[in-house]
Amino acid sequence: MFKEEVIHSLFKEIDCHQHQKLSLLGGNAGFLLFKYLYQKRYGDLSALTEFHEEIQQLAENSFTIANPTFCNGLAGVNWFFRFLNQQEAVLDDDDTASICNRDAMLEEASLTFLNAGNYDFLHGGLGIAYYLLYQNPAERQNYFSQVFQILKLQLIGQDQGSALAAYDFAGKKVVLEDVNLGLAHGVPSILKFCIQCISMGICVDESRYIANKISSYLVYQGSLQGTFPSMVKNNRYGAMPDSRLAWCYGDIGTGFTLYQAALVLNDFKLKMFAEDILERSCRRRLPKDTGVMDACICHGSAGIAHVYNKMWFYTKKEVFKSAAEYWLDVTLDFRVFEKGVAGYMMYRFDTAPRYENVYGLLGGAAGIGLVLLSYLTGDFSWDYCLLLND
């Protein structure tokens, strides 16, 4: 399917690059996550003095991080430390507790975000809450109770379920008429948070209530045209009708979250709905139907391949195996840029669209490497940081 030389090339270029950004999804914590799993596959991690030194340096620098969010701040970096602790690699319990000693501040920051209506996974309150759920959540029962009080108060009632209003970052306000349907920034992330709480025995009744409300809302929206738009604007489906094929927005991320919710909620009808959405999405392969312009996880082919690969593990249906292999091939085909990172560049969607070098986990080379490693090894332990964990 692909040559392991691609993974080696990615590792070599990332390892040689000077990374200054203190973050998980776009900076050095993400690079070290790839480096750890690469060495777990190909080398003796315990012998890597340099790796231990890099972890020590990241730990020291993490005390200077002011941004609390999961994508670009302390919550994501601390998740990485706790991941290493759970892997029994490098950090023991005492080290981890010493490094992650600002979790009380993160609790306060997440509640502040949530009270303002900013539940965004990447840049708001929910990403922080998802980090705090990762390890020893029973010690934070009061905090999680407050989270669910806020979420329940902010539910917008609908005959076909409930959701939370979208948050406008530019205006720093809630837009009551709009609902974001993307996993990266929208209500599917709340659904994932709820089912994770149920699985871990945290605020189970509250979690189940909100999970059922959001699931019903998403099923209704997905049933209108058989696909998920990015946004419902002014309470109208299709005001932003694009349904890209991606982790961040569209059928892949939202459909997969609904599938996992169905398993936790033991909802057969929901399971069939989500599986049908995902199976039909496997037929979408032309660029005009997918919006895929690069190989990254966030909005590119690697993220698609990873979700289909997980669906293959869940269902053993050939349609998902075939789709995963197809999008892995596409990921390899994007390796064409002479000045790219091991041949890869990310397509930047903005006022001046362009390709540029990106090394990070969510939008660049490290994430591509992690997806390729998972395909080889079946190790999905790292994808909690993308809301994709089992």
Side-chain angles (χ1 to χ4, degrees), residues 94-328:
D94 289 339
D95 289 335
T96 305
S98 177
I99 295 169
C100 302
N101 67 355
R102 289 197 286 162
D103 284 355
M105 179 274 286
L106 290 177
E107 290 182 14
E108 293 179 10
S110 73
L111 294 174
T112 299
F113 280 132
L114 291 171
N115 275 312
N118 176 9
Y119 63 84
D120 194 284
F121 169 67
L122 296 181
H123 310 300
L126 197 81
I128 303 172
Y130 204 63
Y131 153 65
L132 293 167
L133 187 61
Y134 184 69
Q135 198 172 53
N136 306 319
E139 299 175 0
R140 302 187 176 93
Q141 286 280 5
N142 182 60
Y143 160 73
F144 287 114
S145 294
Q146 293 180 71
V147 169
F148 279 103
Q149 287 173 14
I150 296 169
L151 293 178
K152 191 172 181 179
L153 285 172
Q154 293 180 354
L155 281 174
I156 300 172
Q158 302 280 345
D159 292 338
Q160 301 83 16
S162 302
L164 274 75
Y167 186 78
D168 175 14
F169 279 94
K172 295 183 178 180
K173 63 181 181 179
V174 173
V175 184
L176 292 175
E177 299 81 10
D178 298 351
V179 176
N180 190 311
L181 300 185
L183 179 59
H185 307 289
V187 291
S189 65
I190 302 174
L191 176 58
K192 176 62 179 183
F193 174 72
C194 289
I195 61 173
Q196 187 69 21
C197 284
I198 294 171
S199 298
M200 301 186 76
I202 301 298
C203 300
V204 173
D205 292 340
E206 298 90 336
S207 302
R208 191 177 298 276
Y209 175 82
I210 295 177
N212 282 319
K213 289 288 187 180
I214 291 177
S215 295
S216 297
Y217 180 85
L218 290 173
V219 167
Y220 172 74
Q221 295 297 337
S223 298
L224 291 176
Q225 294 185 20
T227 190
F228 291 105
S230 299
M231 294 275 288
V232 173
K233 293 187 71 66
N234 299 315
N235 295 316
R236 293 186 297 110
Y237 177 96
M240 291 182 69
D242 58 306
S243 178
R244 67 191 313 168
L245 208 62
W247 169 81
C248 55
Y249 281 101
D251 294 348
I252 294 292
T254 304
F256 184 72
T257 304
L258 282 171
Y259 183 85
Q260 290 189 315
L263 299 181
V264 173
L265 298 172
N266 194 27
D267 188 330
F268 180 77
K269 288 180 66 176
L270 180 60
K271 179 174 177 288
M272 291 298 98
F273 174 83
E275 204 165 317
D276 179 64
I277 285 278
L278 289 166
E279 283 192 39
R280 285 189 283 110
S281 74
C282 292
R283 300 196 290 267
R284 296 169 56 190
R285 296 187 173 182
L286 296 176
K288 67 181 182 66
D289 297 324
T290 64
V292 176
M293 299 293 291
D294 63 28
C296 76
I297 284 180
C298 182
H299 52 259
S301 58
I304 301 170
H306 189 69
V307 173
Y308 284 142
N309 191 29
K310 296 201 71 162
M311 283 302 296
W312 156 246
F313 270 79
Y314 273 125
T315 68
K316 298 304 177 186
K317 285 190 173 183
E318 288 295 324
V319 63
F320 295 121
K321 181 180 181 182
S322 175
E325 291 174 347
Y326 171 80
W327 286 104
L328 281 166

